[in-house]
């Protein structure tokens, strides 16, 4: 340790002051600095900077292209979605028409059947009424006949002579009442 | 001298300036103009590092950059944007020149931070040449672009008339002080940090001399070296950045001298 | 003896020159602090002004470096 100290002290004694102000080394430093700067300048301006500029420009181009492609794809996707939506809407509309048509047909059939049934029912009603009227007529006649006969018999049994016309008139008057 | 007293009493070695000595790499002769010195070595190393980063790193020309290429592109974009923003769009012609300055300074600063390295930018000869290059370039560009109109830079037309000669004097002085402050700022920052680190490093072997005091001083100085080293990494970049951006500012003055 | 007095003067001067660094420390702190308070008021404008910040710091710091340089010159070169 001690000897090292001495050696260092000796070295320092041989080069006193600030090495920065040792003018004898200035020429050397300036010469090598100029060499260095010229080399760096040529390396940078001839090789490195144009290359990096080209790489950056290329990357910019690639990014722009990719963005354009993405934009294209996006437009295409939008178009496809629109087409899909349109197809869906068409299909839906068609389905609606078909449903409406079917409904109308069914309605028509139903109306037809209802009308026919109504007509049949009406016809049957008329017939039945006619029959009922006939039966009623028949029954009236029978009642009249029976009443006339009975009245004649009763008059005869009472000892009177029954006038057919009077009896009939009397029965008719009663029947009306 | 405090340092001498220390080395006499305790054997601590304080030679914070020894790291800046320019000496020949081969032999012990005097330092001539073309002698290969440690300056040559470390400048060559910075050139190699720049070539490795900017040429070899980008040799793939890949659209999706790798790590090294990303750093190269980052440096390119950083300086390009700085030139464009600060000096104006018409200054991009000076971009390779400014890029050269920035790359050299930043690599010299960072390589100088390696242990046992020699910091080329800590020498006034180097930074003065860099600053004078900028100064001469800016002045020449100003006169070529604007002729005598460049002198309008010193004539503050927005100030009241009686004040203008005074202001012109101040402006002229500040214009000529520019290369001085430009160079001394870089050199002083680099030298100061390295010298401070060396001073702390000299305190570190205290434990070998006296155990009681050493237990206190040695850990403190080691921690201080680490802290200063971190600061120096920051300073190494910021000084390169400041040198470059001031170059851009001066260039803007030359291209657009109107106040 | 006279040389010793000259050396003593140089070292005292170096110590005094180091006070200049305190001034530049105040200056740098002012620049950074004012930038920060402005940036917190209007964070969107802060990003564009970092270059100005560094230029201001560099100018303030250069003066401290000058005083450091004077100290070094007194220590090693005078």
């Amino acid at each position: 340790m001690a000897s090292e100290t001495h050696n260092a002290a000796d070295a320092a004694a041989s080069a006193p002051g600030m090495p920065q102000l040792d003018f004898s080394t200035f020429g050397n430093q300036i010469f090598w600095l100029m060499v260095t700067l010229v080399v760096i300048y040529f390396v940078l301006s001839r090789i490195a900077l144009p290359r990096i500029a080209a790489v950056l420009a290329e990357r910019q181009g690639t990014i722009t292209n990719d963005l354009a492609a993405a934009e294209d794809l996006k437009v295409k996707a939008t178009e496809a979605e629109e087409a899909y939506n349109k197809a869906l809407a068409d299909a839906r509309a068609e389905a609606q028409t078909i449903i409406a048509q079917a409904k109308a047909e069914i309605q028509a059939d139903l109306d037809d059947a209802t009308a026919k049934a109504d007509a049949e029912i009406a016809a049957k009603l008329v017939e039945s009424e006619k029959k009922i009227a006939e039966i009623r007529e028949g029954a009236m006649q029978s009642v009249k006949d029976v009443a006339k006969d009975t009245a004649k018999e009763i008059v005869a049994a009472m000892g009177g002579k029954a006038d057919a016309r009077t009896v009939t008139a009397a029965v008719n008057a009663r029947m009306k009442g | 001298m405090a340092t001498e007293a220390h080395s006499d009493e305790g054997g601590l070695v304080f030679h914070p300036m020894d790291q800046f000595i320019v000496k020949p790499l081969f032999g012990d002769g005097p330092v001539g103009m073309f002698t290969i010195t440690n300056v040559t070595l470390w400048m060559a190393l910075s050139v190699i590092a720049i070539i490795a980063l900017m040429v070899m790193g980008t040799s793939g020309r890949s659209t999706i950059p790798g790590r090294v290429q990303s750093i190269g592109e980052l440096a390119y974009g950083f300086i390009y944007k700085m030139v464009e923003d600060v000096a104006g769009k018409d200054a991009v012609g000076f971009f390779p020149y400014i890029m050269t300055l920035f790359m050299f300074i930043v690599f010299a600063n960072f390589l100088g931070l390696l242990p046992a390295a020699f910091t080329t930018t800590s020498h006034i000869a180097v930074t003065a040449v860099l600053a004078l290059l900028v100064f001469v370039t800016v002045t020449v560009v100003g006169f070529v672009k604007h002729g005598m109109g460049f002198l309008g830079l010193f004539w503050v037309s927005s100030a009241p008339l009686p004040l203008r000669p005074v202001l012109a004097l101040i402006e002229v002085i500040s214009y000529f002080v520019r290369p001085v402050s430009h160079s001394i700022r870089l050199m002083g920052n680099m030298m100061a940090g390295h010298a401070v680190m060396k001073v702390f490093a000299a305190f570190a072997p205290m434990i070998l001399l006296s155990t009681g005091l050493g237990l206190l001083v040695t850990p403190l100085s080691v921690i201080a070296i680490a802290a200063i080293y971190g600061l120096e990494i920051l300073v190494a970049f910021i000084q390169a950045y400041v040198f470059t951006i001031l170059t851009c500012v001066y260039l803007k003055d030359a291209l657009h001298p109107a106040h | 003896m006279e040389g010793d007095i000259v050396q003593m003067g140089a070292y005292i001067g170096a110590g005094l020159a180091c006070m200049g660094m305190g001034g530049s420390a105040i200056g740098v702190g002012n620049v950074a602090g004012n930038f920060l308070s402005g940036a917190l008021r209007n964070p969107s404008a802060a990003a564009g002004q970092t270059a100005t910040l560094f230029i201001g710091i560099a100018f303030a710091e250069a003066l401290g470096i000058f005083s450091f340089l004077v100290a070094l010159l007194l220590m090693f070169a005078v």
Side-chain angles (χ1 to χ4, degrees):
Chain A
M1 187 63 212
S3 68
E4 272 177 36
T5 311
H6 260 289
N7 287 346
D10 290 347
S14 67
M18 277 173 76
Q20 276 90 349
L21 296 179
D22 183 0
F23 292 99
S24 66
T25 64
F26 272 30
N28 180 275
Q29 292 190 50
I30 292 169
F31 169 71
W32 288 114
L33 174 68
M34 294 317 286
V35 170
T36 308
L37 285 184
V38 168
V39 169
I40 296 174
Y41 182 81
F42 276 100
V43 165
L44 285 183
S45 64
R46 290 290 138 85
I47 307 173
L49 298 183
R51 185 187 286 172
I52 294 176
V55 167
L56 289 180
E58 193 184 323
R59 176 168 323 140
Q60 198 57 46
T62 312
I63 289 172
T64 315
N65 283 348
D66 283 2
L67 281 181
E71 198 62 33
D72 258 18
L73 288 179
K74 201 175 163 192
V75 167
K76 261 180 206 160
T78 318
E79 273 170 10
E81 201 190 341
E82 262 166 26
Y84 166 77
N85 278 341
K86 197 161 168 288
L88 198 68
D90 280 358
R92 202 168 270 162
E94 205 169 326
Q96 291 291 355
T97 349
I98 289 170
I99 288 171
Q101 215 170 326
K103 219 180 236 171
E105 271 168 25
I106 289 167
Q107 193 62 44
D109 282 0
L110 199 65
D111 284 355
D112 255 15
T114 313
K116 213 181 272 174
D118 278 356
E120 257 168 43
I121 289 167
K124 275 203 178 126
L125 207 62
V126 169
E127 209 173 309
S128 308
E129 265 169 10
K130 219 195 276 163
K131 259 182 198 154
I132 290 168
E134 270 170 22
I135 291 166
R136 190 177 278 162
E137 201 71 16
M140 260 336 182
Q141 205 57 49
S142 303
V143 168
K144 239 184 234 168
D145 286 355
V146 169
K148 262 185 237 167
D149 286 353
T150 314
K152 242 183 244 168
E153 286 300 320
I154 290 169
V155 171
M158 290 295 216
K161 199 178 158 233
D163 182 3
R165 223 180 333 158
T166 321
V167 169
T168 307
V171 167
N172 279 352
R174 278 287 169 182
M175 291 284 274
K176 260 177 214 162
Chain B
M1 184 175 181
T3 57
E4 275 168 4
H6 257 293
S7 53
D8 286 349
E9 286 166 12
L12 286 181
V13 189
F14 281 86
H15 294 299
M17 308 309 281
D18 278 8
Q19 57 179 325
F20 303 121
I21 293 174
V22 177
K23 44 184 175 284
L25 272 189
F26 311 107
D28 260 344
V31 177
M33 182 91 166
F34 308 111
T35 319
I36 294 180
T37 56
N38 45 0
V39 178
T40 320
L41 171 69
W42 288 96
M43 282 187 181
L45 282 179
S46 63
V47 170
I48 290 169
I50 290 170
I51 291 176
L53 173 64
M54 302 302 284
V55 178
M56 264 112 94
T58 58
S59 59
R61 298 163 185 265
S62 33
T63 309
I64 298 156
R67 256 182 256 172
V68 182
Q69 196 185 328
S70 297
I71 294 172
E73 286 170 9
L74 204 68
Y76 180 97
F78 181 65
I79 301 301
Y80 195 87
K81 197 169 168 299
M82 188 197 291
V83 172
E84 224 178 35
D85 288 355
V86 178
K89 289 246 190 287
D90 44 350
V92 290
F94 294 95
F95 169 63
Y97 176 60
I98 293 171
M99 188 77 180
T100 304
L101 288 179
F102 176 77
M103 293 309 279
F104 171 69
I105 294 172
V106 87
F107 272 96
N109 288 358
F110 275 119
L111 287 173
L113 279 175
L114 294 175
F118 176 81
T119 319
T120 49
T121 43
S122 69
H123 272 262
I124 187 69
V126 171
T127 58
V129 168
L130 290 173
L132 279 175
L133 280 177
V134 171
F135 181 76
V136 170
T137 312
V138 163
T139 312
V140 168
V141 165
F143 277 113
V144 167
K145 281 241 171 187
H146 303 282
M148 283 300 124
F150 182 56
L151 293 176
L153 181 66
F154 307 117
W155 197 249
V156 187
S157 48
S158 58
L161 194 58
L163 272 178
R164 282 185 209 171
V166 183
L167 283 176
L169 187 66
I170 294 173
E171 289 281 333
V172 169
I173 291 173
S174 79
Y175 188 80
F176 283 100
V177 166
R178 274 177 182 182
V180 177
S181 70
H182 206 185
S183 58
I184 288 184
R185 180 182 301 111
L186 177 58
M187 167 260 190
N189 265 296
M190 285 295 106
M191 182 181 64
H194 288 255
V196 167
M197 257 195 280
K198 260 295 194 320
V199 168
F200 278 116
F203 275 113
M206 181 69 107
I207 196 157
L208 297 174
L209 301 170
S210 93
T211 319
L213 200 57
L215 276 180
L216 181 70
V217 172
T218 301
L220 269 183
S221 56
V222 170
I223 291 170
I225 292 170
I228 298 280
Y229 195 88
L231 182 69
E232 279 307 296
I233 290 175
L234 196 69
V235 165
F237 177 74
I238 286 184
Q239 287 310 315
Y241 174 72
V242 163
F243 193 97
T244 319
I245 205 166
L246 284 177
T247 305
C248 292
V249 170
Y250 298 160
L251 200 58
K252 187 200 77 184
D253 278 350
L255 294 171
H256 317 281
H259 252 283
Chain C
M1 182 61 191
E2 275 171 26
D4 282 354
I5 293 175
V6 167
Q7 266 217 322
M8 188 184 75
Y11 291 150
I12 291 176
L16 289 175
C18 284
M19 286 197 235
M21 293 186 225
S24 101
I26 294 172
V28 172
N30 246 332
V31 172
N34 282 333
F35 175 80
L36 189 62
S37 66
L40 288 177
R41 264 174 231 273
N42 188 0
S44 58
Q49 297 304 320
T50 43
T52 325
L53 168 72
F54 280 113
I55 293 174
I57 286 181
F59 278 128
E61 194 196 19
L63 301 171
I65 294 290
F66 289 164
S67 69
F68 173 74
L69 207 71
V70 168
L72 277 180
L73 286 173
L74 286 172
M75 288 278 286
F76 294 106
V78 175

